[in-house]
Amino acid sequence: MQIILKTDIAGLGFKNDTVEVKPGYGRNYLIPQGYAVMATDSNKKVVAENIRQAAHKAEKTKNDALAIAEAIGQLELKILAKAGESGKIFGRVTNTQVADALKEKGYDIDRKKITIDEAKVLGSYNAIVNLHKDVKQTIKFDVIAAE
């Protein structure tokens, strides 16, 4: 079954993409929740017109995302965490902590757009920030012991 997505759905596609899904997933979840519409000829024409009109706005959004990506790529973040004598931290570093550290530097980025590896010991790590569907930036952060 072909559908046209009305919003970005992780693992499936982005807004206005035409994707193939199983009929039950489309009929019982995506369409009733308002996440998609059937990919009929008339809906495809409407989406094509919307894409054409939104091209200028999308280019500006992408350029803004590129500017932010360039700026945050230069940052070195420090995140405080309570740690034991061996350097193992209590709990783990989360994307919320990285988002808060970015906010302190003046960049308000949603925590849901940040992906980090398991950070369970003190040291240096990388986080991937998904700013736009075409723009991803890797930022470095250090986990240091809180006194």
Side-chain angles (χ1 to χ4, degrees):
M1 156 181 228
Q2 279 197 336
I3 58 167
I4 300 170
L5 297 176
K6 293 170 83 176
T7 61
D8 295 348
I9 298 178
L12 189 57
F14 296 102
K15 183 177 179 177
N16 296 329
D17 285 351
T18 301
V19 294
E20 187 77 28
V21 295
K22 291 190 176 185
Y25 183 48
R27 266 195 319 269
N28 298 327
Y29 178 69
L30 295 174
I31 294 172
Q33 293 292 326
Y35 297 145
V37 293
M38 293 288 294
T40 62
D41 289 337
S42 63
N43 284 341
K44 287 180 183 178
K45 288 178 185 175
V46 168
V47 167
E49 180 64 21
N50 289 343
I51 290 171
R52 189 184 66 74
Q53 290 178 358
H56 178 70
K57 183 178 177 185
E59 186 66 29
K60 182 185 181 313
T61 304
K62 184 177 179 182
N63 288 337
D64 291 345
L66 285 169
I68 292 172
E70 188 175 323
I72 66 173
Q74 309 296 326
L75 295 177
E76 292 256 347
L77 302 176
K78 298 200 182 314
I79 296 177
L80 298 174
K82 290 185 180 181
E85 304 244 344
S86 64
K88 186 171 181 171
I89 63 174
F90 302 122
R92 65 186 178 105
V93 176
T94 64
N95 55 355
T96 304
Q97 290 171 299
V98 175
D100 290 342
L102 282 169
K103 189 174 243 178
E104 288 175 8
K105 299 283 186 175
Y107 299 99
D108 190 16
I109 296 174
D110 186 19
R111 68 176 173 80
K112 295 174 187 170
K113 295 182 178 186
I114 301 172
T115 308
I116 60 173
D117 295 330
E118 288 289 316
K120 292 187 175 184
V121 294
L122 300 177
S124 295
Y125 296 93
N126 290 328
I128 298 171
V129 181
N130 187 8
L131 296 166
H132 185 269
K133 73 179 188 179
D134 297 330
V135 180
K136 293 183 181 183
Q137 179 65 42
T138 302
I139 57 173
K140 295 179 182 176
F141 66 94
D142 296 323
V143 179
I144 55 177
E147 298 298 324

